[in-house]
Amino acid sequence: MPTPTQGEAFAKLAHHLDEAQSIAAQLSHLYGLQGTGIHDQALARGWLMIPEQIKSFKRRVITIAQGRMQ
């Protein structure tokens, strides 16, 4: 079994973050479509915040991977 490289591990992490971002956006959309109450709409907005947080987190991960963390 070959030893993974740092680049391969980073690529896998970035892929999973992209997947999580996409799924959270999809959940927001589904809650928005299926929910009729105020609670469901609040959940939809909450799920919509998650992809933005993941995007910010991914930028931080890239900064670390590039060795620019201060």
Side-chain angles (χ1 to χ4, degrees):
M1 178 182 244
T3 304
T5 66
Q6 290 175 347
E8 290 170 340
F10 172 75
K12 190 174 184 178
L13 175 60
H15 170 75
H16 287 298
L17 288 172
D18 288 339
E19 285 289 315
Q21 191 175 8
S22 176
I23 292 168
Q26 184 179 25
L27 281 167
S28 172
H29 180 70
L30 292 172
Y31 270 97
L33 287 177
Q34 295 173 357
T36 56
I38 294 171
H39 180 70
D40 292 324
Q41 295 304 314
L43 284 172
R45 285 191 301 276
W47 277 112
L48 191 56
M49 291 171 41
I50 301 297
E52 288 302 316
Q53 292 173 344
I54 294 172
K55 182 178 179 181
S56 174
F57 181 71
K58 187 175 174 189
R59 281 194 297 261
R60 198 168 297 148
V61 167
I62 290 169
T63 299
I64 293 169
Q66 292 174 337
R68 297 185 299 181
M69 190 67 181
Q70 295 182 16

